[in-house]
Amino acid sequence: QVLLVESGGGSVQAGGFLRLSCAVSGRLSSGYRMGWFRQAPGKEREFVAAVRWSGLRDYGDAVKGRFTISRDIANTVYLEMHSLKAEDTAIYYCAGAGGIPPTSANNDPGMYEDWGQGTQVTVSS
């Protein structure tokens, strides 16, 4: 069983920076993909970023050029968020997937089977 625990959320002014972390425990299958999603009140869960087992990274259109996802040797996953906007306000979830083909750019939330509890990010304008 895989356990994901997020940290690093908080409140920041527009234009600011936050760094989220996701600690992973448990046995990961080969090809395990890690991602970040977010959900704002009244909205659907939205793809933010993912890092594939190969190291290749995918980003949602809303965060390209501002957010960076990375993964270290211990499989801790980070999300560096620059130039934050009020519309980035949401609960951010770390997620993991063992069944997405390595070459697939499909990061639909339904493809991910492991989820953290979420961490709140609030950006004030």
Side-chain angles (χ1 to χ4, degrees):
Q1 184 175 358
V2 176
L3 181 64
L4 308 176
V5 180
E6 303 98 334
S7 61
S11 297
V12 66
Q13 289 191 332
F17 168 84
L18 280 175
R19 186 187 194 219
L20 305 183
S21 300
C22 176
V24 182
S25 61
R27 187 171 181 176
L28 304 184
S29 59
S30 176
Y32 196 81
R33 180 179 300 193
M34 299 292 300
W36 286 95
F37 293 80
R38 66 187 183 186
Q39 189 163 17
K43 294 188 176 182
E44 293 186 353
R45 192 161 294 191
E46 177 188 19
F47 170 69
V48 175
V51 55
R52 308 184 196 182
W53 192 257
S54 65
L56 189 65
R57 305 170 191 181
D58 304 306
Y59 293 96
D61 290 340
V63 306
K64 282 180 181 177
R66 299 189 298 122
F67 290 13
T68 301
I69 189 171
S70 61
R71 180 175 187 169
D72 68 15
I73 195 169
N75 285 315
T76 298
V77 180
Y78 304 94
L79 185 69
E80 294 187 342
M81 305 185 292
H82 297 266
S83 302
L84 282 162
K85 306 175 182 179
E87 52 263 44
D88 294 318
T89 295
I91 299 175
Y92 283 70
Y93 297 92
C94 178
I100 303 177
T103 57
S104 173
N106 185 355
N107 288 293
D108 185 272
M111 301 293 288
Y112 287 73
E113 67 267 20
D114 299 315
W115 291 87
Q117 82 287 353
T119 185
Q120 177 70 46
V121 170
T122 302
V123 184
S124 58
S125 56

